[in-house]
Each structure stands twice: as structure tokens, then as C-alpha cells.
Amino acid sequence: MMVAVQDTKTLLVKEKDYGTTAHGETVKEFTLQNIHGVEVKFITYGGSITSVKVPDKNGNFENVVLGFFSLQQYENDPGARPYFGALIGRYANRIARKFCLEGKEYSPSLNENSNCLHGGKVGFDKQVWQAEVLEQSDHQLSVGLSLHSQDGDQGFPGNLSVQVIYSLNNDNEFSIRYQAKTDQTTVINLTNHSYINLAGEGNGSIENHKLQLFCSGYTPVDRYMIPTGEIASVANTPMDFRENKYIGDHIRDNFDQLYKAIGYDHNFVIDGYSKEAMRPAAILHHEQSGRKLELFTTLPGMQIYTGNALRGNLKGYSGKAYRQCEGIAFEPQYYPDSPNQANFPSTTLQPTEVFDEKTIYRFSVVL
């Protein structure tokens, strides 16, 4: 076990036991801290990010992500699963019923009516990942999380080996790199499901946060939350965040897509996609605290979710109840239901290929 003394002038990694699952598996907690005192905590159960502490304009640190305070809550969360801070796979977002691959039909695990949501009933968020502290530098520290998903896991083909690297640097950038290999043709879509509230976890709605998305299009959904196949322009709709505006400005507008999702729960098409190219995806700003988040990714799309299923029955990290709009999830990913949508970027992974994508969360303060 790696232990370090608290010292905000040096990069440090701390590791400790977090708990034991109902099946007897040991879960570890890791803490990454940079020279400015910015701190990221995560556990090996689901690779779940449990806390991200960043300063406000007065230098006060607060946790800005939603999450639980015990392993038992992560294992036994009631009702609709919130996936707080979790790594999502094999397939992030939704697949409608079945999909075909190389002429063969596959039936993934259905856990949302007739949909496979976030990998099925026992997705990557419900697995204990193996963790290893990676070689450090004077500027950045990293921990690698690995998982093996067997052929047929949740109905998906191929033995899949996954590594996710969490890194924190002295520029207050937290990054996630996703890598995977398969031994037979499969489909894959990986992301992280952290909910952000720059006012601080449990401190009210994110409707007063200003949001800018570098997205000119989005994928409308049907009543089952499956994309229709259309890539629609955001222009002249409540989906248009190309100019900085408050999240709450139009969330209750008379707009069919908002009724279907009970708010924002849509895949946005990030402008300028070119495979493996990093580009801006979103900027979130909370004026009162001064906290700002800039998000960059190599991925083609990003699900924006305003916590529409949170209804006050979950006790969060600080003991407060979470309700709708208490956090916003940015989920950079490939588009939902891509295996059934020929005009969407392909999520097929061949044995000769490596899935390799990255997302960066850059925190700063606006005075």
C-alpha cells in the first residue's frame, strides 16, 4: 500500500482500503493530489470517482461531484441507477433490443425496458477493477485501472481487455484515457458518468450554471430514448448552447425532446470530429463561486444529462438528498445505438485494432 504525508507542495498518491463487497472482494480508494491542493478520489468498485475537490475564487475547496459515502450504497443504490462517477461499458448509453455484427444477431442484457443501458444489468460500473500506481513525473501522476470482460459478458461478443488511466497534473487537469483490445469483432463505447455541480456537491441546482457546448447538432430520440437516426441542428431550439447561457434558461420550454427526456438527456455531436484529435467540447461556469470547468475530448459525441431521475431518495456524499438538476453529467462517447444506426460513427472494434480515446477536465477560477 502506498502512503504519503499531506503536503500541497508535492504531487501525491494515497491508497487505502475502502470496504469489502457482498461477494467478499476488497475495494480500494485512491486519492490523487497536485501541488495546488486539487484532489481527486476514486474507488476500484466501478472505477467510481467519489470526490473532486477544487477551490473557488476565495480559495475555499469543495467537492464538486455527486456520489455516495459508502460502498454499500454503490452496491445497492435503489431505483433507477444514477451511476455516480462510474466507468461505463461495455457500451455506454443505449442499444435498442438487439444488434447485428458480421451477419450474426446479438441480444445484450436489457435493463431499461427494451433497451440495454450502460452495458446491461451487470455493467462495468458494478465490477471491481484492478488498480496500479503508474510511473509518475514532476508534473503528473496516474493510476491505471484494468478489467477483463469475458466473451458473452452481458451478451456482447469477444474477450475484452480494458485499461483506464486516471491522471491529475499541476495544471489542474484531470484526464481519463480509455484503451481496450478484443479477440473477436465486437462493439464498444466507454465513458465516465460523473455529475458536476460547481457550487459544491449537495448545494442546490445546476440551473444557475452557465454552459457552452461546442456542438452544432444533436441526435433526437423517440419515446424509448433511442435515436431516430437523424442528426438535427440545435439552431432555434432549447438544445442550442453554442453561446454561453444558463442551463435553466430553456429546460422547461415547450419542446418535444425535453418532454421525452424530462429535461436534457441527449447526445450532442461535437464539432470538428477527426479520429484521435483532441478538441473542446464544453465549458461550465458557476459565477457565484467562480469555478470553471473546460472539457476536451477525442470522442465524437457527448451525452448531456441533468439528473432527471434524481428525486430526493438518495443520500449523497455529504448526507444531503439529491434531486433533479442537482448535477450535470458530461458523458463524452460514441453515439447511442450506433450498432443499429449505419450513419453514425462506427463502434465496431476488430481484433487488429486498439480502442484508444481520451477526455480532459480542466478546472480553473474566474475572479
Side-chain angles (χ1 to χ4, degrees), residues 116-144:
C116 175
L117 174 65
H118 291 331
K121 294 177 182 177
V122 189
F124 289 177
D125 63 299
K126 292 294 185 185
Q127 303 293 321
V128 177
W129 294 63
Q130 298 301 306
E132 178 187 10
V133 178
L134 303 180
E135 185 175 350
Q136 313 300 322
S137 72
D138 293 336
H139 180 67
Q140 178 174 282
L141 42 80
S142 303
V143 173

Side-chain angles (χ1 to χ4, degrees), residues 26 39-40 65 90 125 178 195 204-205 230 249 303 324 361:
T26 299
E39 179 189 273
V40 177
V65 299
R90 284 189 184 193
D125 63 299
Y178 307 90
Y195 296 70
S205 174
E230 177 189 9
D249 278 354
Q303 190 82 4
Q324 185 180 13
Y361 304 80

